[in-house]
Amino acid sequence: MRAVCLFLIAVAIQIEPSLAQHTHAEQSMPGMSNQDMSKENTPMESHSLIELLQHRATAGTDAQPNSSPAPMLMTMRGKWTLMFHGEAFLNDIQQSGPRGADKFFSTNWIMPMAQRQLGNGTLTLRAMLSFEPGTISKRRYPELFQQGETAFGHAIVDGQHPHDFFMELAALYDYKLSANTLLSFYAAPMGNPAMGPLAYPHRPSASENPIAPLGHHLQDSTHIADDVITAGLTHRNVRLEASGFHGREPDEFRWNLDSGKIDSWSSRLTVNAGQNWSFQYSLAQLHSPEELAPDTNIRRMTASLMYNRPLQNGNWASMLLWGRNRSLGDGNIGNSYLAESTLHWAGKNYLWTRIENVDRTNELLLGENPEPAGFQERYFARVQAYTAGYDREIGHIPHLSTAVGAQVTWYGVPDILKPIYSSHPAGVVMFLRLRPQ
């Protein structure tokens, strides 16, 4: 975590003082002059889905409402617009109940990016890195009822895996066919296919929450995938996309780049109706996503509705999300439902909530024990999770927003799991948050 903090501060110092503080994504538009770039706190925003996509202020080819904030550092170098996004949390988690655990760890990511005009389009080069393989020990952090991926050869239960060091390495080209039509191409040895909404580490509605949603692996876990190729066509405020990618989830060795043949696909429809709304529906087929169940293929569907409302000295971002996995082998189906919202007001205060209703599999009954011979994973119970949190910005480090805060999560436990988890388990996270600004 110390390395993360030093890196963020070093970048803030190196990028010259003429940086604009970004309230909205249009400030990352290539072609702006140095004079335009030097204006502090200029209120700018995208006025259409096409403008939003050209800015490429999000991961992969994801979209959000046109009015969404995009905090970043930015400057010009010749014909290139250089940008830096990122976030780091230093967390202490305490959980109750027989399965509860305590831990001190950091969740974090950084995203340097460069853009320039190229012909009749915009070229974007982007990397996203996370130091979580070094800041989260034992290949997981505690999170009651969480499932997904592996650690030390066993399925992770009641824990969340760290992100890979290489979260994204990508090139994008957006070609302007006309004033109202955009043709887009995306290629990434590690990247984000056209599947699901904006992933939870990057959503304004989850900007202050350092913990992954329980429904992550039914909703947006494909935001780190191997060998991704995407093409998209946008007309006015409607976009259609299709992706091919390698379907296996990242392995537990988080510092390297994985690879594999393109064996999975996804498609996504996005509609941005007005400045403050964004809807997406996506469908994907994942080939052998789980290392411990290599013969299982999954059909995943998601639908989400995002709302963003800029406020004086603040912002209000919310999202409703549904995600569904269906095993193509035995037809077993799991659903997840999420509602989350973050209110930023008076410049320094953040208040947020996340509510989930998620199907869980019988791996919860095994805990950290190895799966017995012949074990077949199946959804069998539904868990509710309720989170509320608050933080406040402190300090005056140039170009770096810092905040201290806490959140509490309590659970609705089905009867079949109460002997294992108790009736009323809960968790508390206290944290320090850093973000370039």
Side-chain angles (χ1 to χ4, degrees), residues 58-331:
T58 63
T61 59
D62 297 335
Q64 57 186 336
N66 302 341
S67 63
S68 299
M72 68 176 76
L73 301 176
M74 183 176 70
T75 190
M76 296 288 293
R77 290 291 183 267
K79 295 182 179 181
W80 289 92
T81 303
L82 306 179
M83 287 152 283
F84 180 81
H85 310 243
E87 193 167 63
F89 290 88
L90 186 62
N91 308 298
D92 182 66
I93 188 169
Q94 308 280 329
Q95 296 178 322
S96 67
R99 289 278 188 95
D102 308 329
K103 192 161 191 169
F104 186 71
F105 63 100
S106 170
T107 47
N108 52 79
W109 59 272
I110 58 173
M111 188 169 75
M113 183 168 63
Q115 285 184 324
R116 61 162 295 167
Q117 294 297 120
L118 185 64
N120 197 35
T122 303
L123 173 66
T124 303
L125 303 177
R126 185 167 63 214
M128 190 182 309
L129 310 173
S130 174
F131 297 97
E132 289 180 5
T135 61
I136 297 175
S137 62
K138 299 183 180 179
R139 302 179 186 176
R140 75 183 78 189
Y141 63 79
E143 185 176 8
L144 288 170
F145 301 103
Q146 183 62 293
Q147 298 179 267
E149 301 192 17
T150 62
F152 304 104
H154 302 307
I156 296 176
V157 175
D158 296 319
Q160 171 65 27
H161 61 82
H163 288 110
D164 279 35
F165 174 65
F166 295 104
M167 296 177 69
E168 184 178 29
L169 296 171
L172 305 91
Y173 186 67
D174 297 296
Y175 183 78
K176 204 77 176 289
L177 294 175
S178 69
N180 295 318
T181 307
L182 190 70
L183 181 63
S184 303
F185 300 96
Y186 173 89
M190 182 70 79
N192 185 356
M195 178 62 200
L198 191 62
Y200 78 88
H202 316 297
R203 293 197 292 256
S205 56
S207 65
E208 309 304 301
N209 191 331
I211 305 300
L214 292 182
H216 176 48
H217 284 268
L218 294 93
Q219 299 163 353
D220 56 0
S221 64
T222 51
H223 76 113
I224 299 178
D226 304 322
D227 303 300
V228 182
I229 299 175
T230 301
L233 183 66
T234 306
H235 182 68
R236 297 186 183 275
N237 288 322
V238 179
R239 179 173 59 159
L240 286 172
E241 299 172 274
S243 295
F245 58 99
H246 183 58
R248 176 63 60 86
E249 294 175 338
D251 62 29
E252 60 185 274
F253 305 103
R254 305 288 174 173
W255 291 105
N256 62 345
L257 276 172
D258 303 319
S259 63
K261 66 178 182 180
I262 296 176
D263 54 15
S264 302
W265 58 265
S266 66
S267 59
R268 179 166 61 190
L269 167 69
T270 301
V271 180
N272 277 23
Q275 287 296 97
N276 297 337
W277 296 91
S278 182
F279 167 81
Q280 72 83 29
Y281 172 80
S282 53
L283 176 67
Q285 185 160 312
L286 309 178
H287 177 76
S288 186
E290 297 184 23
E291 182 178 354
L292 298 181
D295 297 327
T296 300
N297 300 325
I298 290 175
R299 181 71 53 82
R300 179 173 295 168
M301 287 189 286
T302 76
S304 63
L305 180 65
M306 302 176 71
Y307 173 78
N308 187 77
R309 181 179 178 181
L311 306 173
Q312 186 174 5
N313 296 321
N315 192 75
W316 180 29
S318 304
M319 186 178 72
L320 298 175
L321 171 60
W322 164 72
R324 177 182 185 263
N325 282 349
R326 178 179 180 270
S327 171
L328 297 182
D330 59 12

